[in-house]
Amino acid sequence: MTSHTPTTPDEPGPGTGPGGDRGISRKTLLRAAVAAGATVPLLATGGIALARDAARANDGRTLTPTPYCDDGDDLTPDQMEGPYFKPNSPLRTSLVTPGTPGTPLTVSGYVFGRNCVPLSGVLLDFWQADTNGTYDMAGYTFRGHQFSDSTGAFTLKTVVPGLYPGRTRHIHVKVQAPGKPVLTTQLYFPGEPRNSTDMIFDPALLMNVRGAGNGKEGTFDFVLNVDGGTGPTHPPTDPPSGTWATGHAYTAGDRVTYGGRSYRCLQAHTAMTGWEPPNVPALWAPES
């Protein structure tokens, strides 16, 4: 399928049992394989064998996959933040510029609620080491945040992070649905020798990674402990009073009030429902 909109396939997904029984989720399969000492099944390109990444056209071209989610998918597990996180990262989907050293990497995927509804406006804050295994603690190199689009999709352009003592290759991320708790976790690369010696490595957090020209492409879908909205479930209530408004284009330094508090805009953006100042500290700093 070539649709860009997340949907549940009409046909049973891989692992679906006879009679329409719910299949084994990707994360459950990975945990079971590792616990049994088995090798996780890989595509010829080196990625985990997932249906959403294996679609091919008749002429051999890779098709944009329609993501598959069922309500048996495990929630994305959390992991430690580590010592290198910095708040207030730049709003951007690319962490690289022309000439940035390292193997180019594009990570894409979707954010789902536990009921398989795609979640829009989810904050994803990424940070990682550079190709030499070094974190920038003076500035914001290889740090940036973005928001999932109306289909729940996200895309990050970066490079494959380097190794440093004690850790395998990984990318840190904080994921927060509007007004909900923050999930802090890490994404890993299949086939890395250090995966077996990294004390916090979790196979449930493996990306599907394949070669793409002179770089790599990775995919991963987050499943948050949030019920995706399918429409209002309660009578509408009046929003908190204030000058903040959806649809308004704010610039850095603008000041608004919301719910009886004053806020200063940190980064230019156009406001949308779910991005109210208390919900997105990357965009708004309280002043009172």
Side-chain angles (χ1 to χ4, degrees), residues 92-130:
R92 57 189 179 187
T93 59
S94 177
L95 307 185
V96 297
T97 57
T100 298
T103 302
L105 171 68
T106 299
V107 179
S108 61
Y110 294 86
V111 185
F112 293 101
R114 57 182 169 238
N115 57 348
C116 285
V117 174
L119 302 176
S120 63
V122 173
L123 172 67
L124 299 106
D125 194 350
F126 295 95
W127 72 103
Q128 66 171 79
D130 63 17

mmCIF file of all heavy atoms in Angstrom, residues 92-130:
data_model
loop_
_atom_site.group_PDB
_atom_site.id
_atom_site.type_symbol
_atom_site.label_atom_id
_atom_site.label_comp_id
_atom_site.label_asym_id
_atom_site.label_seq_id
_atom_site.Cartn_x
_atom_site.Cartn_y
_atom_site.Cartn_z
ATOM 1 N N ARG A 92 13.462 21.938 14.795
ATOM 2 C CA ARG A 92 13.967 21.585 13.470
ATOM 3 C C ARG A 92 13.842 20.079 13.257
ATOM 4 O O ARG A 92 13.871 19.306 14.208
ATOM 5 C CB ARG A 92 15.426 22.002 13.292
ATOM 6 C CG ARG A 92 16.395 21.423 14.334
ATOM 7 C CD ARG A 92 17.753 22.054 14.200
ATOM 8 N NE ARG A 92 18.717 21.552 15.185
ATOM 9 C CZ ARG A 92 19.938 22.051 15.350
ATOM 10 N NH1 ARG A 92 20.347 23.064 14.606
ATOM 11 N NH2 ARG A 92 20.754 21.549 16.262
ATOM 12 N N THR A 93 13.719 19.693 11.994
ATOM 13 C CA THR A 93 13.627 18.276 11.651
ATOM 14 C C THR A 93 14.946 17.736 11.120
ATOM 15 O O THR A 93 15.066 16.530 10.921
ATOM 16 C CB THR A 93 12.534 18.041 10.600
ATOM 17 O OG1 THR A 93 12.840 18.803 9.426
ATOM 18 C CG2 THR A 93 11.168 18.450 11.134
ATOM 19 N N SER A 94 15.914 18.595 10.880
ATOM 20 C CA SER A 94 17.226 18.165 10.418
ATOM 21 C C SER A 94 18.296 18.644 11.387
ATOM 22 O O SER A 94 18.331 19.826 11.750
ATOM 23 C CB SER A 94 17.520 18.716 9.018
ATOM 24 O OG SER A 94 18.826 18.345 8.595
ATOM 25 N N LEU A 95 19.159 17.726 11.800
ATOM 26 C CA LEU A 95 20.243 18.059 12.726
ATOM 27 C C LEU A 95 21.561 18.232 11.997
ATOM 28 O O LEU A 95 22.605 18.367 12.635
ATOM 29 C CB LEU A 95 20.383 16.955 13.786
ATOM 30 C CG LEU A 95 19.107 16.569 14.545
ATOM 31 C CD1 LEU A 95 19.442 15.548 15.635
ATOM 32 C CD2 LEU A 95 18.414 17.785 15.133
ATOM 33 N N VAL A 96 21.533 18.206 10.674
ATOM 34 C CA VAL A 96 22.756 18.284 9.882
ATOM 35 C C VAL A 96 22.700 19.464 8.925
ATOM 36 O O VAL A 96 21.636 19.990 8.602
ATOM 37 C CB VAL A 96 22.992 16.982 9.082
ATOM 38 C CG1 VAL A 96 23.192 15.810 10.030
ATOM 39 C CG2 VAL A 96 21.831 16.701 8.129
ATOM 40 N N THR A 97 23.882 19.871 8.476
ATOM 41 C CA THR A 97 24.041 20.882 7.445
ATOM 42 C C THR A 97 24.984 20.310 6.393
ATOM 43 O O THR A 97 25.669 19.309 6.650
ATOM 44 C CB THR A 97 24.634 22.185 8.026
ATOM 45 O OG1 THR A 97 25.886 21.882 8.658
ATOM 46 C CG2 THR A 97 23.694 22.804 9.045
ATOM 47 N N PRO A 98 25.049 20.896 5.190
ATOM 48 C CA PRO A 98 25.979 20.385 4.175
ATOM 49 C C PRO A 98 27.406 20.298 4.728
ATOM 50 O O PRO A 98 27.902 21.243 5.330
ATOM 51 C CB PRO A 98 25.875 21.422 3.047
ATOM 52 C CG PRO A 98 24.488 21.968 3.183
ATOM 53 C CD PRO A 98 24.228 22.007 4.666
ATOM 54 N N GLY A 99 28.023 19.154 4.571
ATOM 55 C CA GLY A 99 29.380 18.971 5.057
ATOM 56 C C GLY A 99 29.477 18.376 6.438
ATOM 57 O O GLY A 99 30.580 18.111 6.923
ATOM 58 N N THR A 100 28.335 18.158 7.114
ATOM 59 C CA THR A 100 28.387 17.523 8.428
ATOM 60 C C THR A 100 28.992 16.126 8.295
ATOM 61 O O THR A 100 28.507 15.320 7.506
ATOM 62 C CB THR A 100 26.977 17.398 9.038
ATOM 63 O OG1 THR A 100 26.430 18.704 9.231
ATOM 64 C CG2 THR A 100 27.034 16.681 10.390
ATOM 65 N N PRO A 101 30.084 15.821 9.017
ATOM 66 C CA PRO A 101 30.702 14.502 8.883
ATOM 67 C C PRO A 101 29.827 13.397 9.462
ATOM 68 O O PRO A 101 29.066 13.623 10.400
ATOM 69 C CB PRO A 101 32.005 14.645 9.676
ATOM 70 C CG PRO A 101 31.751 15.739 10.654
ATOM 71 C CD PRO A 101 30.806 16.682 9.970
ATOM 72 N N GLY A 102 29.949 12.203 8.879
ATOM 73 C CA GLY A 102 29.202 11.059 9.372
ATOM 74 C C GLY A 102 28.361 10.426 8.284
ATOM 75 O O GLY A 102 28.187 10.978 7.198
ATOM 76 N N THR A 103 27.843 9.251 8.580
ATOM 77 C CA THR A 103 26.968 8.536 7.655
ATOM 78 C C THR A 103 25.561 9.101 7.747
ATOM 79 O O THR A 103 24.951 9.063 8.821
ATOM 80 C CB THR A 103 26.938 7.033 7.983
ATOM 81 O OG1 THR A 103 28.262 6.503 7.913
ATOM 82 C CG2 THR A 103 26.027 6.278 7.023
ATOM 83 N N PRO A 104 25.021 9.662 6.655
ATOM 84 C CA PRO A 104 23.673 10.243 6.716
ATOM 85 C C PRO A 104 22.638 9.213 7.171
ATOM 86 O O PRO A 104 22.682 8.049 6.779
ATOM 87 C CB PRO A 104 23.413 10.690 5.278
ATOM 88 C CG PRO A 104 24.770 10.868 4.680
ATOM 89 C CD PRO A 104 25.628 9.817 5.320
ATOM 90 N N LEU A 105 21.719 9.657 8.010
ATOM 91 C CA LEU A 105 20.665 8.791 8.540
ATOM 92 C C LEU A 105 19.357 9.561 8.565
ATOM 93 O O LEU A 105 19.303 10.690 9.059
ATOM 94 C CB LEU A 105 21.015 8.331 9.960
ATOM 95 C CG LEU A 105 19.919 7.600 10.747
ATOM 96 C CD1 LEU A 105 19.619 6.243 10.126
ATOM 97 C CD2 LEU A 105 20.320 7.453 12.225
ATOM 98 N N THR A 106 18.306 8.954 8.034
ATOM 99 C CA THR A 106 16.957 9.497 8.151
ATOM 100 C C THR A 106 16.122 8.541 8.977
ATOM 101 O O THR A 106 16.044 7.350 8.661
ATOM 102 C CB THR A 106 16.299 9.691 6.774
ATOM 103 O OG1 THR A 106 17.068 10.612 6.004
ATOM 104 C CG2 THR A 106 14.885 10.237 6.924
ATOM 105 N N VAL A 107 15.537 9.033 10.061
ATOM 106 C CA VAL A 107 14.663 8.225 10.912
ATOM 107 C C VAL A 107 13.240 8.745 10.737
ATOM 108 O O VAL A 107 12.989 9.944 10.867
ATOM 109 C CB VAL A 107 15.069 8.316 12.397
ATOM 110 C CG1 VAL A 107 14.124 7.481 13.263
ATOM 111 C CG2 VAL A 107 16.511 7.852 12.585
ATOM 112 N N SER A 108 12.315 7.851 10.442
ATOM 113 C CA SER A 108 10.929 8.256 10.267
ATOM 114 C C SER A 108 10.007 7.253 10.938
ATOM 115 O O SER A 108 10.413 6.137 11.275
ATOM 116 C CB SER A 108 10.575 8.378 8.775
ATOM 117 O OG SER A 108 10.732 7.124 8.125
ATOM 118 N N GLY A 109 8.786 7.651 11.123
ATOM 119 C CA GLY A 109 7.813 6.759 11.742
ATOM 120 C C GLY A 109 6.559 7.509 12.120
ATOM 121 O O GLY A 109 6.297 8.618 11.621
ATOM 122 N N TYR A 110 5.781 6.904 13.004
ATOM 123 C CA TYR A 110 4.512 7.465 13.455
ATOM 124 C C TYR A 110 4.427 7.374 14.968
ATOM 125 O O TYR A 110 5.107 6.560 15.602
ATOM 126 C CB TYR A 110 3.328 6.715 12.837
ATOM 127 C CG TYR A 110 3.221 6.879 11.342
ATOM 128 C CD1 TYR A 110 3.925 6.041 10.492
ATOM 129 C CD2 TYR A 110 2.428 7.875 10.782
ATOM 130 C CE1 TYR A 110 3.838 6.186 9.112
ATOM 131 C CE2 TYR A 110 2.332 8.035 9.414
ATOM 132 C CZ TYR A 110 3.040 7.184 8.578
ATOM 133 O OH TYR A 110 2.951 7.344 7.227
ATOM 134 N N VAL A 111 3.571 8.212 15.533
ATOM 135 C CA VAL A 111 3.270 8.150 16.957
ATOM 136 C C VAL A 111 1.809 7.741 17.099
ATOM 137 O O VAL A 111 0.920 8.401 16.544
ATOM 138 C CB VAL A 111 3.508 9.498 17.663
ATOM 139 C CG1 VAL A 111 3.298 9.339 19.172
ATOM 140 C CG2 VAL A 111 4.903 10.030 17.372
ATOM 141 N N PHE A 112 1.575 6.629 17.811
ATOM 142 C CA PHE A 112 0.228 6.121 18.040
ATOM 143 C C PHE A 112 -0.132 6.226 19.512
ATOM 144 O O PHE A 112 0.743 6.195 20.389
ATOM 145 C CB PHE A 112 0.130 4.637 17.650
ATOM 146 C CG PHE A 112 0.276 4.355 16.183
ATOM 147 C CD1 PHE A 112 1.465 3.884 15.665
ATOM 148 C CD2 PHE A 112 -0.796 4.544 15.326
ATOM 149 C CE1 PHE A 112 1.598 3.609 14.313
ATOM 150 C CE2 PHE A 112 -0.684 4.264 13.967
ATOM 151 C CZ PHE A 112 0.523 3.792 13.462
ATOM 152 N N GLY A 113 -1.434 6.316 19.790
ATOM 153 C CA GLY A 113 -1.932 6.086 21.132
ATOM 154 C C GLY A 113 -2.110 4.594 21.334
ATOM 155 O O GLY A 113 -1.996 3.802 20.398
ATOM 156 N N ARG A 114 -2.416 4.200 22.553
ATOM 157 C CA ARG A 114 -2.537 2.773 22.851
ATOM 158 C C ARG A 114 -3.722 2.129 22.130
ATOM 159 O O ARG A 114 -3.780 0.912 22.004
ATOM 160 C CB ARG A 114 -2.651 2.554 24.357
ATOM 161 C CG ARG A 114 -3.809 3.289 25.006
ATOM 162 C CD ARG A 114 -3.865 3.096 26.508
ATOM 163 N NE ARG A 114 -4.832 4.025 27.075
ATOM 164 C CZ ARG A 114 -4.537 4.923 28.003
ATOM 165 N NH1 ARG A 114 -3.311 5.013 28.471
ATOM 166 N NH2 ARG A 114 -5.464 5.737 28.470
ATOM 167 N N ASN A 115 -4.674 2.952 21.640
ATOM 168 C CA ASN A 115 -5.805 2.423 20.884
ATOM 169 C C ASN A 115 -5.571 2.519 19.383
ATOM 170 O O ASN A 115 -6.496 2.417 18.594
ATOM 171 C CB ASN A 115 -7.092 3.147 21.265
ATOM 172 C CG ASN A 115 -6.985 4.656 21.060
ATOM 173 O OD1 ASN A 115 -5.898 5.185 20.850
ATOM 174 N ND2 ASN A 115 -8.108 5.355 21.129
ATOM 175 N N CYS A 116 -4.298 2.711 18.987
ATOM 176 C CA CYS A 116 -3.892 2.725 17.573
ATOM 177 C C CYS A 116 -4.363 3.936 16.798
ATOM 178 O O CYS A 116 -4.337 3.927 15.566
ATOM 179 C CB CYS A 116 -4.313 1.452 16.859
ATOM 180 S SG CYS A 116 -3.272 0.065 17.303
ATOM 181 N N VAL A 117 -4.791 4.980 17.457
ATOM 182 C CA VAL A 117 -5.123 6.218 16.771
ATOM 183 C C VAL A 117 -3.854 7.055 16.646
ATOM 184 O O VAL A 117 -3.164 7.283 17.637
ATOM 185 C CB VAL A 117 -6.205 7.014 17.541
ATOM 186 C CG1 VAL A 117 -6.440 8.374 16.892
ATOM 187 C CG2 VAL A 117 -7.502 6.218 17.600
ATOM 188 N N PRO A 118 -3.487 7.493 15.433
ATOM 189 C CA PRO A 118 -2.288 8.333 15.279
ATOM 190 C C PRO A 118 -2.446 9.625 16.076
ATOM 191 O O PRO A 118 -3.532 10.192 16.155
ATOM 192 C CB PRO A 118 -2.242 8.612 13.768
ATOM 193 C CG PRO A 118 -3.065 7.526 13.153
ATOM 194 C CD PRO A 118 -4.143 7.209 14.142
ATOM 195 N N LEU A 119 -1.361 10.081 16.637
ATOM 196 C CA LEU A 119 -1.376 11.272 17.489
ATOM 197 C C LEU A 119 -0.665 12.426 16.790
ATOM 198 O O LEU A 119 0.522 12.326 16.465
ATOM 199 C CB LEU A 119 -0.685 10.983 18.824
ATOM 200 C CG LEU A 119 -1.261 9.835 19.664
ATOM 201 C CD1 LEU A 119 -0.401 9.608 20.905
ATOM 202 C CD2 LEU A 119 -2.703 10.135 20.055
ATOM 203 N N SER A 120 -1.356 13.500 16.571
ATOM 204 C CA SER A 120 -0.756 14.691 15.968
ATOM 205 C C SER A 120 -0.304 15.653 17.053
ATOM 206 O O SER A 120 -0.759 15.592 18.194
ATOM 207 C CB SER A 120 -1.765 15.382 15.041
ATOM 208 O OG SER A 120 -2.887 15.838 15.791
ATOM 209 N N GLY A 121 0.601 16.549 16.681
ATOM 210 C CA GLY A 121 1.068 17.566 17.619
ATOM 211 C C GLY A 121 1.869 17.022 18.772
ATOM 212 O O GLY A 121 2.006 17.680 19.806
ATOM 213 N N VAL A 122 2.453 15.824 18.617
ATOM 214 C CA VAL A 122 3.274 15.231 19.683
ATOM 215 C C VAL A 122 4.677 15.811 19.606
ATOM 216 O O VAL A 122 5.292 15.864 18.536
ATOM 217 C CB VAL A 122 3.330 13.699 19.550
ATOM 218 C CG1 VAL A 122 4.316 13.098 20.544
ATOM 219 C CG2 VAL A 122 1.943 13.098 19.747
ATOM 220 N N LEU A 123 5.205 16.247 20.731
ATOM 221 C CA LEU A 123 6.563 16.775 20.801
ATOM 222 C C LEU A 123 7.561 15.628 20.813
ATOM 223 O O LEU A 123 7.459 14.710 21.626
ATOM 224 C CB LEU A 123 6.729 17.611 22.073
ATOM 225 C CG LEU A 123 8.149 18.082 22.413
ATOM 226 C CD1 LEU A 123 8.641 19.094 21.397
ATOM 227 C CD2 LEU A 123 8.186 18.685 23.826
ATOM 228 N N LEU A 124 8.534 15.659 19.891
ATOM 229 C CA LEU A 124 9.633 14.689 19.867
ATOM 230 C C LEU A 124 10.931 15.472 19.949
ATOM 231 O O LEU A 124 11.265 16.249 19.046
ATOM 232 C CB LEU A 124 9.615 13.848 18.592
ATOM 233 C CG LEU A 124 8.364 12.993 18.366
ATOM 234 C CD1 LEU A 124 7.500 13.609 17.257
ATOM 235 C CD2 LEU A 124 8.724 11.570 17.989
ATOM 236 N N ASP A 125 11.661 15.297 21.040
ATOM 237 C CA ASP A 125 12.898 16.031 21.285
ATOM 238 C C ASP A 125 14.057 15.032 21.206
ATOM 239 O O ASP A 125 14.185 14.144 22.050
ATOM 240 C CB ASP A 125 12.846 16.687 22.662
ATOM 241 C CG ASP A 125 13.936 17.739 22.849
ATOM 242 O OD1 ASP A 125 14.844 17.836 21.999
ATOM 243 O OD2 ASP A 125 13.874 18.471 23.854
ATOM 244 N N PHE A 126 14.896 15.159 20.159
ATOM 245 C CA PHE A 126 15.987 14.217 19.913
ATOM 246 C C PHE A 126 17.332 14.811 20.323
ATOM 247 O O PHE A 126 17.562 16.008 20.159
ATOM 248 C CB PHE A 126 16.059 13.855 18.425
ATOM 249 C CG PHE A 126 14.865 13.109 17.906
ATOM 250 C CD1 PHE A 126 13.819 13.787 17.286
ATOM 251 C CD2 PHE A 126 14.787 11.728 18.013
ATOM 252 C CE1 PHE A 126 12.719 13.095 16.787
ATOM 253 C CE2 PHE A 126 13.694 11.035 17.516
ATOM 254 C CZ PHE A 126 12.660 11.717 16.905
ATOM 255 N N TRP A 127 18.222 13.964 20.833
ATOM 256 C CA TRP A 127 19.618 14.360 21.030
ATOM 257 C C TRP A 127 20.498 13.125 20.913
ATOM 258 O O TRP A 127 20.077 12.013 21.201
ATOM 259 C CB TRP A 127 19.831 15.097 22.349
ATOM 260 C CG TRP A 127 19.754 14.301 23.622
ATOM 261 C CD1 TRP A 127 20.799 13.862 24.394
ATOM 262 C CD2 TRP A 127 18.561 13.887 24.330
ATOM 263 N NE1 TRP A 127 20.350 13.197 25.515
ATOM 264 C CE2 TRP A 127 18.981 13.197 25.503
ATOM 265 C CE3 TRP A 127 17.197 14.020 24.079
ATOM 266 C CZ2 TRP A 127 18.073 12.659 26.411
ATOM 267 C CZ3 TRP A 127 16.302 13.466 24.981
ATOM 268 C CH2 TRP A 127 16.739 12.799 26.122
ATOM 269 N N GLN A 128 21.757 13.321 20.475
ATOM 270 C CA GLN A 128 22.636 12.189 20.222
ATOM 271 C C GLN A 128 24.089 12.643 20.153
ATOM 272 O O GLN A 128 24.393 13.838 20.095
ATOM 273 C CB GLN A 128 22.271 11.536 18.892
ATOM 274 C CG GLN A 128 22.542 12.437 17.689
ATOM 275 C CD GLN A 128 22.396 11.717 16.370
ATOM 276 O OE1 GLN A 128 21.290 11.505 15.895
ATOM 277 N NE2 GLN A 128 23.535 11.350 15.762
ATOM 278 N N ALA A 129 24.988 11.657 20.137
ATOM 279 C CA ALA A 129 26.407 11.924 19.935
ATOM 280 C C ALA A 129 26.687 12.149 18.454
ATOM 281 O O ALA A 129 25.924 11.703 17.581
ATOM 282 C CB ALA A 129 27.237 10.748 20.453
ATOM 283 N N ASP A 130 27.793 12.833 18.149
ATOM 284 C CA ASP A 130 28.187 12.994 16.751
ATOM 285 C C ASP A 130 28.880 11.730 16.261
ATOM 286 O O ASP A 130 28.929 10.713 16.968
ATOM 287 C CB ASP A 130 29.076 14.232 16.582
ATOM 288 C CG ASP A 130 30.406 14.137 17.336
ATOM 289 O OD1 ASP A 130 30.821 13.024 17.737
ATOM 290 O OD2 ASP A 130 31.043 15.192 17.523
#
